[in-house]
Amino acid sequence: MINIPSTLKIALRALKVNKMRSALTMLGIIIGVGAVITMLAVGRGASQKISEQIASIGSNLIMILPGATTAGGLRMGAGTQPTLSVADAEAIKKECPAVSDVAPDLSGGAQIVYGNQNWSTVVRGTTPGILTVRDWPLALGRSFTEQDVKGASKVCLLGQTVVENLFRDMDPVGRILRIKKLPFTVIGVLTKKGQSPQGQDQDDIIYVPVTTAQKKLFGTAFPGMVRIIMVKAMSPEALDPAEKQITALLRQRHRIGPKQEDDFTVRNLTQMMQTQEQAAKVMSLLLGAIASVSLLVGGIGIMNIMLVSVTERTREIGIRMAIGAKTWDIRLQFMIEALTLSLTGGVAGIILGLGGSKILSVLAGWSTIVSPLSILLAFGFSGLVGIFFGFYPAYKASLLNPIEALRYE
Amino acid sequence: MKLITAQDISKVYKLGDIDVNALCDVSLGIERGEFIAVMGPSGSGKSTFMNILGCLDKPTTGHYLLEGIDVGRLSRDELAAIRNKKIGFVFQGFNLLPRTSALENVELPMLYNGLPAKERRQKAMEALKTVGLEERAPHHPSQLSGGQQQRVAIARALVNDAAIILADEPTGNLDTKTSAEIMELFVRLNKGSAITVILVTHESDIAAYSRRVIRFLDGRVIRDEEPVRR
């Protein structure tokens, strides 16, 4: 029969006798657990940040860019050939079942004037679908309608940065500002979206109907031409089918033969971001794995000190055996000692890890997130380390011959 | 039934290629309540005999029956259980745990048979009272004299109501006066509680307290008799 409370008391006493030694042994585990928690927090923080950015550009997003022009065998970059049109966008929305919404984009820089304030920003001509495609709700006012698009109305939606720079604290809805000297009525204000994954300010933007942009702001030689078509797929699973359907449809619409190259490029933005997120996760695992090496080293420290302890206390073991301690009584005594070391170190390590994550996020400005799971994991792992590395010394102690152990000086 | 029956017990140690016969065909019986002194020069086999009696070692051949149980067949843990319940050890060097109070030292055997804490404390106090040390219960061994330490060790041997106390030169480290006190304690325990006391000694003064002296020489019992009374 094994008496856990008394065995625990014996173990604690043994650790108290060698305070310095116990503390140093624990330090290995403290550093290990602290490192694991901090590294996992850094990794998690990074992937969380990427996830937020994915959400900010809009989920399940596909971008279609016009193809590259080839002039005298010299191929230019993607988007240099004006091949996409508003009609393409409408066709995609109508004919691709995996697509939930579509928004074309024709943009350019423009100087905006309101009263005595002026601001230079990006004006994007688009359709009402943009708000769905980019998961971007309005803060104030209303969106423009299909009617506005058909009639090329001079209405606009403002990003928060534009509002701040032109209107300060005023309510801009209903006011008239000038884009390239033309008067536009502000009908709505977008909510704040923050930085894009590339670090651009996404709120520094004005949306106008695509027709208005084509006819009144950025007149082009190709009527109906747009620079980008943004597409939202029905679901993450629909991204691949949507991509295929769009490619097939556009090839057909652009009359591209089976052997010819596409005159457009389809980019699955969400997938790209997800790849990045995956990379961040892998990195956090890697960091965690490296940190757990130090936990392992801490465990070896425990084993080392427990072996010393068993040798030092050979006579004590002999006495205990003589008065009736069984194999497992002795084993448990030493294993509980090892576990006490590793778990106490684990708790201190958790505190160190929490502190370390906090310090990193304050001093280095990294976003760190300590998940309860990582705490549990690190604590459980330190317990396992204690059991694993405590077993051999305990096993060795339990196999001592009582007669010899009693004679040990 | 005899308390202890030794039948042709031999013990052979291997020292490299050489076999050392520590015990050769020792046969004897011990009744409950006897007070025995085991004597003999070093290397005579008395320590080996005591280790076998104490279930710390098994005979190479022959049988050792303790209350009719053949101890040679038991496993390591079963032997530990028998030591715990039936045998109390008293050593020359006291062998108390350092940095542990007298009371906790006496409680130690009960840790290994699962008595609840309260009962342990109570029985340990009783045992300390029996050896006259109840006031020293919270003291650590380093705060006790040799005689007191030995009495704590005796209390520890008694606490599980052992049938046998095996004492290996219990007065070897003590002065004459203290030795006499310790021996009186053994006599009292033997008479009062009918505990079988078996002790190893070199001194005939000490052996004189016993009622039977077994002498060993070269692994054999050469004499088994009543002690010479002063």
Side-chain angles (χ1 to χ4, degrees), chain A residues 30-75:
Chain A
I30 294 173
I31 292 173
V33 168
V36 166
I37 289 180
T38 311
M39 291 302 125
L40 288 180
V42 166
R44 203 179 145 85
S47 62
Q48 175 90 359
K49 201 161 187 185
I50 293 171
S51 300
E52 275 166 18
Q53 287 172 341
I54 292 177
S56 84
I57 61 163
S59 54
N60 311 328
L61 197 63
I62 294 173
M63 268 190 173
I64 308 162
L65 301 168
T69 43
T70 309
L74 192 68
R75 299 189 70 216

Side-chain angles (χ1 to χ4, degrees), chain A residues 5-310:
Chain A
S6 325
T7 319
L8 191 69
K9 209 168 132 195
I10 293 165
L12 289 180
R13 191 200 311 259
L15 296 179
K16 234 162 56 188
V17 167
N18 289 303
K19 279 194 198 75
M20 187 66 179
R21 194 162 92 180
S22 308
L24 286 174
T25 312
M26 264 185 240
L27 198 60
I29 295 291
I30 294 173
I31 292 173
V33 168
V36 166
I37 289 180
T38 311
M39 291 302 125
L40 288 180
V42 166
R44 203 179 145 85
S47 62
Q48 175 90 359
K49 201 161 187 185
I50 293 171
S51 300
E52 275 166 18
Q53 287 172 341
I54 292 177
S56 84
I57 61 163
S59 54
N60 311 328
L61 197 63
I62 294 173
M63 268 190 173
I64 308 162
L65 301 168
T69 43
T70 309
L74 192 68
R75 299 189 70 216
M76 310 298 277
T80 48
Q81 194 182 7
T83 54
L84 296 176
S85 66
V86 177
D88 284 336
E90 280 164 3
I92 289 169
K93 187 172 181 183
K94 232 179 275 167
E95 291 179 36
C96 300
V99 168
S100 107
D101 219 329
V102 173
D105 179 292
L106 176 67
S107 57
Q111 203 70 20
I112 322 295
V113 181
Y114 175 75
N116 57 359
Q117 302 288 331
N118 75 97
W119 183 246
S120 171
T121 186
V122 184
V123 177
R124 295 184 175 272
T126 184
T127 57
I130 189 73
L131 299 183
T132 328
V133 169
R134 297 214 49 196
D135 300 321
W136 205 348
L138 287 173
L140 293 168
R142 64 170 182 89
S143 173
F144 47 80
T145 59
E146 293 297 339
Q147 221 51 48
D148 291 325
V149 175
K150 273 196 191 118
S153 317
K154 281 182 277 186
V155 292
C156 63
L157 302 174
L158 304 186
Q160 288 288 347
T161 306
V162 176
V163 173
E164 274 161 34
N165 281 288
L166 290 180
F167 295 94
R168 312 275 172 211
D169 299 327
M170 283 185 282
D171 179 2
V173 176
R175 295 182 194 274
I176 292 165
L177 48 67
R178 287 173 185 277
I179 304 172
K180 282 192 169 180
K181 295 187 181 138
L182 291 172
F184 280 73
T185 309
V186 179
I187 55 168
V189 176
L190 296 155
T191 49
K192 196 168 179 64
K193 219 170 181 36
Q195 284 189 355
S196 76
Q198 286 77 30
Q200 289 159 341
D201 180 4
Q202 299 185 90
D203 298 310
D204 193 3
I205 197 170
I206 295 182
Y207 279 128
V208 298
V210 64
T211 42
T212 318
Q214 285 168 335
K215 289 173 190 161
K216 296 178 177 155
L217 291 175
F218 318 114
T220 62
F222 308 91
M225 165 255 182
V226 293
R227 294 282 289 276
I228 303 170
I229 297 175
M230 282 189 273
V231 175
K232 186 186 186 66
M234 288 289 189
S235 63
E237 293 74 40
L239 278 166
D240 282 337
E243 216 176 311
K244 287 198 185 79
Q245 290 162 6
I246 291 163
T247 309
L249 179 72
L250 289 183
R251 285 181 72 89
Q252 184 197 332
R253 284 179 60 85
H254 296 184
R255 299 201 171 79
I256 298 168
K259 283 186 183 155
Q260 277 175 288
E261 272 183 54
D262 294 346
D263 63 351
F264 56 89
T265 315
V266 178
R267 275 195 201 150
N268 186 336
L269 270 194
T270 308
Q271 213 166 51
M272 277 162 57
M273 295 302 299
Q274 277 166 348
T275 313
Q276 256 185 58
E277 194 184 12
Q278 207 62 43
K281 273 186 186 149
V282 168
M283 193 170 85
S284 99
L285 274 182
L286 207 70
L287 286 174
I290 292 168
S292 44
V293 169
S294 58
L295 196 50
L296 208 69
V297 174
I300 295 169
I302 287 187
M303 177 140 102
N304 190 14
I305 227 60
M306 289 311 295
L307 284 172
V308 171
S309 175
V310 167

Side-chain angles (χ1 to χ4, degrees), chain A residues 309-319 400 405-406 408:
Chain A
S309 175
V310 167
T311 310
E312 277 179 356
R313 285 150 71 194
T314 302
R315 184 188 272 264
E316 177 193 323
I317 295 165
I319 297 171
L400 287 175
L406 276 170
Y408 187 85

